[in-house]
Amino acid sequence: MNQIIGIDLGTTNSAVAYMTDDGPQLIPNALGSNLTPSVVGIDEDGRVLVGSAARELRVLHPDRCASVFKRYMGTDWTAKIAGKEFTPEELSSLVLRSLKADAEAFFKGEITRAVITVPAYFNDQQRKATMAAGKIAGLYVERILNEPTAAAIAYGFHRQDEEKSLLIFDLGGGTFDVSLVDLFDGTLEVKASSGESILGGEDFTRTLAGRVLERHGLSFEKAEMSSPLMVSRLLRLCEGAKVRLSREESTIIRMPNKNGDLEEDGKQITVTRREMEEWIGHILNRIELPVRRVLNDAKVTKDEIDEVILVGGATRMPVVADRVTKLLGKPPHCRLNPDEVVAMGAAVQAGLFAKHQSVDEMVVTDVAPFTLGIEISKQLGSERRSGYFMPIISRNTTIPISRSDIVTTLAPNQTTIMLKVYQGESRKVEDNLLLGKLEVKGIPPAAAGQEVEVRFTYDLNGVLEVEATVIATKKKMSTVITRHAKGGMTPQEIQQAQKDMERLKAHPREDSANRFLLRRAERVYQELSSDDRQFLSRLMDGFEEALSMQDAIAIESNREALESFLDRMDPNIDDLNQENE
Ligand code: AMP
């Protein structure tokens, strides 16, 4: 099947969309929701759960689940779930596999091509890791697209005749990006991007949980070690409370006991929106520098911005919109759903690849968000000092871009040069990020000063290639960077991971709604008083029996009874599904 899908692979939630004649459309998952929580679990039968069911499982069995793994893409971090070790690439591939299955069910055919979004501020390793995750999931990644650019595309799609300067402010579950985008004559030009790769709603939830624990005389780190079940349930309760505080002035947070159970006479505290805003104030301060950087790099003043657009679930907090208003001197808006707009933009980009008739006029250009360069040494007086950064591609240069510079040998008869490739904005390499090394060999023995041309090519996916040419011999060196120890899977490792993940079985897709309901019922069971527990237990027994008998009529009636009881006892589930707007 030739269909290309657009995927927003988020820290908290993921979404998939496709292009139609009327514009981008989201594809619902097996539960009928447009958002799939980016949570992976392995149940007691050794089968993989992805999405809402895994999120429910996480509350009672955090050791069987992994979440927020996007934060670790391209690093050595692994998660042990149900005794098995997973890399962030593998966990992301399971989320992608689930979205691919949703799209395949929707189109009734195999899907193998996708555009996947990443935070603009994702570095080279994180981008390569995302591409690897796609491959492991059996998807050819047509393009790695920056999230704020995707959001701008979704906004720009219907307004191709307008001339506007847009600032996209994207605060999601785990990352923060800000981009300045110009829209003119059907062209969408990203002028500058900046951000922080570890800043988002998860930090607010953890801060809130930390304060709740503090009020009970506990520290977050210690509690996480000694009572992981208490912390996993508290985090879930705090996320719900945080979401409620976006529309209510105060809310109550119940304190689970050390086993993670909510007792009838257990402790609870009231938290006001004001308090929450105070607690997260220091985190929110960090949005200011990237915003200023973007305005500087794009050489625009805040008065020249026509619209400020909010993207990402965390921008629903009133304090975020207030801060943005103060910072930019105009109120922001979010006319498109901030949770869905990135996937929609990815679908438009997918439409551009597929030459979809509704987008054939649109041109999109993007930038490299970081400065890229190499380490050099400098002659300072009589001393030669190494550790200095020589930029080759400056941040916010339009991509694709290819630029070169010359380095020279320092000693007579020097036949090799070790090029160390860095990204970052510091004058010294120690404060920048080492991306990889390239050893230049075969320089003819001669006096010092032999020249080597170093060429950096930064492609549309934001992936860097480095090439070195010895000027005297015209000999070119390998273009592949020997990857830094952290991150970077080899093709063999990707193949192996593909096999390992294929071996993990998932439940049939048509069972998803039932599995989710049972997981939710198990969690709610532990939150109830004993009378209610007995009643719920009977409902669960009835539902499980109907499922095992495969009696369609009994399944339907038992499911309805169970669902309506859960909706009554657990009304805030929508706070986590973000369907509260
Ligand atoms: P995203 O990565 O864009 O899906 O954003 C997810 C983050 O947004 C999570 O940390 C959510 O808790 C947070 N979020 C979603 N809705 C709200 C809301 N109404 N108020 C506060 N935070 C929210």
Side-chain angles (χ1 to χ4, degrees):
M1 191 168 199
N2 230 6
Q3 185 72 47
I4 310 175
I5 51 176
I7 294 179
D8 170 9
L9 183 60
T11 311
T12 319
N13 292 301
S14 295
V16 52
Y18 74 110
M19 196 61 190
T20 73
D21 288 344
D22 300 324
Q25 290 289 333
L26 284 136
I27 299 174
N29 63 21
L31 305 181
S33 166
N34 289 337
L35 293 183
T36 297
S38 306
V39 185
V40 172
I42 299 216
D43 69 8
E44 300 75 5
D45 306 333
R47 289 188 183 242
V48 181
L49 294 175
V50 174
S52 300
R55 193 177 59 191
E56 292 293 353
L57 181 72
R58 184 181 56 180
V59 179
L60 300 185
H61 302 281
D63 54 324
R64 294 193 154 272
C65 295
S67 56
V68 203
F69 34 84
K70 178 170 169 179
R71 286 198 157 172
Y72 305 102
M73 287 297 259
T75 73
D76 293 339
W77 178 90
T78 55
K80 200 167 198 174
I81 55 179
K84 185 175 160 25
E85 206 97 39
F86 288 86
T87 63
E89 288 88 339
E90 289 170 337
L91 293 167
S92 301
S93 83
L94 293 171
V95 175
L96 291 171
R97 186 168 96 176
S98 168
L99 299 172
K100 178 177 184 280
D102 291 332
E104 288 174 343
F106 183 83
F107 289 111
K108 302 189 174 51
E110 199 190 7
I111 302 283
T112 53
R113 300 164 70 193
V115 170
I116 303 179
T117 61
V118 296
Y121 220 56
F122 249 24
N123 65 38
D124 193 67
Q125 291 157 1
Q126 292 165 310
R127 286 166 193 271
K128 283 179 179 141
T130 306
M131 291 176 112
K135 277 192 199 139
I136 298 169
L139 286 169
Y140 175 74
V141 182
E142 297 278 348
R143 174 69 55 81
I144 292 288
L145 180 66
N146 290 333
E147 287 164 12
T149 309
I153 294 176
Y155 272 94
F157 171 72
H158 292 292
R159 305 158 62 184
Q160 291 181 37
D161 303 332
E162 292 180 21
E163 206 159 300
K164 283 246 155 90
S165 193
L166 314 174
L167 186 126
I168 314 282
F169 184 98
D170 180 358
L171 189 64
T175 50
F176 169 55
D177 280 329
V178 50
S179 289
L180 201 286
V181 180
D182 274 357
L183 200 61
F184 58 94
D185 294 340
T187 299
L188 195 147
E189 184 182 329
V190 180
K191 306 286 281 187
S193 283
S194 188
E196 271 212 38
S197 55
I198 301 198
L199 173 62
E202 300 292 332
D203 298 299
F204 305 148
T205 304
R206 287 177 82 86
T207 303
L208 180 57
R211 291 296 180 137
V212 173
L213 286 167
E214 216 175 271
R215 286 215 185 155
H216 292 94
L218 299 163
S219 91
F220 194 97
E221 284 73 25
K222 281 194 190 145
E224 214 171 19
M225 298 285 281
S226 60
S227 321
L229 287 173
M230 172 176 80
V231 173
S232 68
R233 182 167 304 248
L234 182 64
L235 280 171
R236 192 178 192 287
L237 295 170
C238 284
E239 179 159 21
K242 175 189 75 174
V243 170
R244 283 197 300 284
L245 285 175
S246 290
R247 54 170 200 266
E248 291 161 17
E249 289 299 329
S250 75
T251 193
I252 288 171
I253 303 177
R254 292 170 72 189
M255 181 70 188
N257 68 17
K258 65 181 188 330
N259 300 320
D261 293 336
L262 289 172
E263 291 161 351
E264 258 165 89
D265 54 353
K267 293 183 209 147
Q268 57 184 38
I269 64 165
T270 301
V271 175
T272 63
R273 185 190 293 168
R274 198 13 109 69
E275 280 171 320
M276 166 90 193
E277 291 176 357
E278 239 175 73
W279 294 338
I280 64 166
H282 66 289
I283 304 178
L284 271 178
N285 290 343
R286 285 163 45 204
I287 63 173
E288 293 183 11
L289 183 64
V291 170
R292 264 192 249 116
R293 256 192 190 169
V294 156
L295 295 182
N296 270 341
D297 285 2
K299 299 189 180 54
V300 295
T301 63
K302 50 189 183 182
D303 301 333
E304 288 170 299
I305 299 168
D306 296 306
E307 285 178 36
V308 180
I309 294 171
L310 297 181
V311 179
T315 59
R316 289 208 168 105
M317 296 174 84
V319 65
V320 173
D322 287 351
R323 282 280 190 124
V324 173
T325 310
K326 273 200 200 108
L327 206 57
L328 292 158
K330 54 173 67 68
H333 71 78
C334 47
R335 280 190 208 114
L336 298 176
N337 185 329
D339 298 313
E340 299 177 349
V341 60
V342 170
M344 308 243 270
V348 178
Q349 177 70 64
L352 283 166
F353 279 119
K355 303 212 178 341
H356 201 284
Q357 55 195 18
S358 52
V359 282
D360 59 0
E361 297 294 329
M362 207 171 170
V363 176
V364 180
T365 71
D366 213 331
V367 293
F370 304 98
T371 301
L372 297 157
I374 52 172
E375 179 180 357
I376 53 160
S377 49
K378 281 188 181 173
Q379 190 73 38
L380 299 174
S382 59
E383 208 185 329
R384 180 162 280 284
R385 282 204 212 142
S386 59
Y388 289 91
F389 183 51
M390 178 173 91
I392 294 185
I393 295 178
S394 302
R395 74 165 190 246
N396 290 322
T397 307
T398 300
I399 57 171
I401 175 87
S402 187
R403 278 216 178 125
S404 67
D405 214 322
I406 300 283
V407 293
T408 54
T409 53
L410 296 173
N413 299 325
Q414 180 180 343
T415 56
T416 63
I417 295 180
M418 179 60 88
L419 291 176
K420 289 193 192 150
V421 179
Y422 285 87
Q423 78 170 35
E425 310 307 324
S426 278
R427 203 166 75 91
K428 295 276 189 73
V429 292
E430 63 193 16
D431 299 323
N432 293 334
L433 178 76
L434 177 64
L435 294 179
K437 296 177 187 170
L438 175 67
E439 191 173 18
V440 186
K441 293 185 191 149
I443 303 169
Q450 294 305 303
E451 293 185 328
V452 171
E453 183 193 55
V454 182
R455 177 165 291 281
F456 275 28
T457 305
Y458 196 80
D459 70 10
L460 284 166
N461 293 317
V463 167
L464 176 70
E465 289 207 355
V466 178
E467 188 182 71
T469 310
V470 179
I471 299 288
T473 60
K474 302 265 179 290
K475 200 173 144 216
K476 285 191 195 308
M477 297 299 123
S478 150
T479 55
V480 185
I481 299 176
T482 328
R483 305 243 170 82
H484 183 40
K486 278 196 233 154
M489 293 176 83
T490 63
Q492 292 77 7
E493 283 168 342
I494 292 177
Q495 242 178 20
Q496 186 56 47
Q498 219 165 6
K499 281 191 197 134
D500 290 349
M501 293 305 105
E502 267 162 22
R503 242 177 266 136
L504 289 176
K505 293 284 168 257
H507 289 282
R509 194 171 175 278
E510 54 279 13
D511 278 0
S512 307
N514 297 339
R515 306 240 145 246
F516 165 62
L517 199 57
L518 282 172
R519 291 289 165 200
R520 181 182 174 201
E522 274 163 26
R523 172 183 54 83
V524 173
Y525 180 88
Q526 299 209 1
E527 295 170 9
L528 297 180
S529 64
S530 54
D531 286 351
D532 288 331
R533 274 187 177 187
Q534 274 183 23
F535 189 70
L536 176 56
S537 179
R538 277 202 297 278
L539 290 175
M540 288 169 76
D541 290 347
F543 185 50
E544 281 186 309
E545 193 182 331
L547 284 176
S548 69
M549 312 256 295
Q550 296 185 356
D551 175 342
I553 296 172
I555 291 176
E556 200 46 42
S557 65
N558 279 283
R559 183 200 331 208
E560 267 173 25
L562 180 57
E563 222 163 17
S564 72
F565 180 76
L566 289 176
D567 286 347
R568 209 151 30 87
M569 292 295 161
D570 180 42
N572 289 328
I573 184 123
D574 281 353
D575 287 345
L576 290 181
N577 291 338
Q578 285 121 44
E579 283 155 8
N580 51 334
E581 289 289 295

